[in-house]
Amino acid sequence: MEYVAALLPPAVMAALFIAVIRVIVKTQGGANKAKEDAAVDAALARAEGARQPSARADG
């Protein structure tokens, strides 16, 4: 019975790891991808917009 107690924690951790990987893979793409891409594009546009006026003021 000691072998069961020794193997149980690694087996549980492996199952949880596989579950996390499956969730990550399933949430990639789809309807959420367009929202995430739009949020990233907006953040990049804000960062670039904030950087350009300060460069013009220095020049």
Side-chain angles (χ1 to χ4, degrees):
M1 287 304 281
E2 289 181 22
Y3 62 89
V4 174
L7 293 176
L8 186 61
V12 170
M13 292 302 290
L16 290 175
F17 181 74
I18 290 170
V20 168
I21 296 301
R22 289 185 66 190
V23 167
I24 290 171
V25 168
K26 283 186 177 183
T27 58
Q28 299 299 311
N32 291 334
K33 183 166 177 45
K35 292 179 188 176
E36 292 170 1
D37 288 346
V40 170
D41 288 342
L44 289 174
R46 281 194 305 265
E48 188 173 327
R51 185 178 54 189
Q52 285 180 352
S54 62
R56 291 179 185 162
D58 292 339

